[in-house]
């Protein structure tokens, strides 16, 4: 039953994650003119798309690798490698998203890192970089002892969930900031709730629901990779489903 609920949750996550990305792309194309890579506002439009794709959706997918029942059995190295590779791809997309907004600010002569959204975002990316380096150095490379890995594993897990929570907060504050900047003329003020505001608010709520579901799966004890003493029971469960 737990495995069945897990796969239903994964299906829901795939749908929600795709909707988060598609909503963000549509918002930037329909209301803000699309995309370019030339330092203009159209280059800025890559920023929310890349950050939602990298820091929220792909980051979440990488975090959930160890929740797949197939990872309960067999060697762990392929799963560790996939976990690290997906996180690295998420980080690279995040860096591209940061480059897009910094390049736009330079072109438009706008100060950097002055808003709460930017502080949250840069803190999240910094912690993500530290988290990936720690995970690669300690859990993927073979030099670390089991004692050290056991000591650092709870810290790694805690910061993994914390970074996702910060990423969601950064996205929501970024959506809010973008709407305040965009909707400040005449009848299209944010408080009048024009169509763009409704759509972007819905995109933000999708990100929140997606993130909460990911955090629930990460924290649910029945969906975690079993400890060695429980491994035989989980293997029997998997064999029974084949």
């Amino acid at each position: 039953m737990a495995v069945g609920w897990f796969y239903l949750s994964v299906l829901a996550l795939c749908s929600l994650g795709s909707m988060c990305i598609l909503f963000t792309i549509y918002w930037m194309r329909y209301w803000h003119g699309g995309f370019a890579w030339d330092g203009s506002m159209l280059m800025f439009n890559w920023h929310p798309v890349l950050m939602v794709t990298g820091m929220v959706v792909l980051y979440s997918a990488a975090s959930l690798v160890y929740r797949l029942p197939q990872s309960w059995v067999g060697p762990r190295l392929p799963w560790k490698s996939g976990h690290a590779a997906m996180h690295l791809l998420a980080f690279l997309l995040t860096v591209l998203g940061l480059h897009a907004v910094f390049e736009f600010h330079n072109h438009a002569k706008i100060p950097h890192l002055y808003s709460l959204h930017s502080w949250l975002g840069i803190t999240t990316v910094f912690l993500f970089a530290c988290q990936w380096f720690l995970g690669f150095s300690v859990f993927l490379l073979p030099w670390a002892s089991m004692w050290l890995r056991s000591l650092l594993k709870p810290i790694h897990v805690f910061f993994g969930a914390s970074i996702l929570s910060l990423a969601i907060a950064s996205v929501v504050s970024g959506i809010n900031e973008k709407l305040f900047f965009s909707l400040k003329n005449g009848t299209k003020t944010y408080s009048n709730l024009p169509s763009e505001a409704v759509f972007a608010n819905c995109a933000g709520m999708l990100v929140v629901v997606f993130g909460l579901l990911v955090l629930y799966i990460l924290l649910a004890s029945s969906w975690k990779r079993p400890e060695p003493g429980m491994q035989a029971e989980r293997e029997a469960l998997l064999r029974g489903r084949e």
Side-chain angles (χ1 to χ4, degrees), residues 5 9 11 22 28 33 36 46 53 58 64 98 109 111 113 122 124 127 129 133 159-160 165 171 207:
W5 277 112
S9 299
L11 181 62
L22 292 174
M28 292 298 107
W46 281 109
T53 304
L58 193 54
L64 292 173
L98 286 179
K109 301 189 181 337
L113 302 176
I122 208 69
T124 305
L127 290 175
F133 181 77
F159 275 101
S165 301
V171 167
V207 170

Side-chain angles (χ1 to χ4, degrees), residues 23-32 178-179 196 200:
F23 267 54
T24 310
I25 292 173
Y26 186 82
W27 179 27
M28 292 298 107
R29 286 190 65 88
Y30 185 79
W31 279 282
H32 296 282
K178 177 64 175 174
L179 288 173
E196 180 185 356

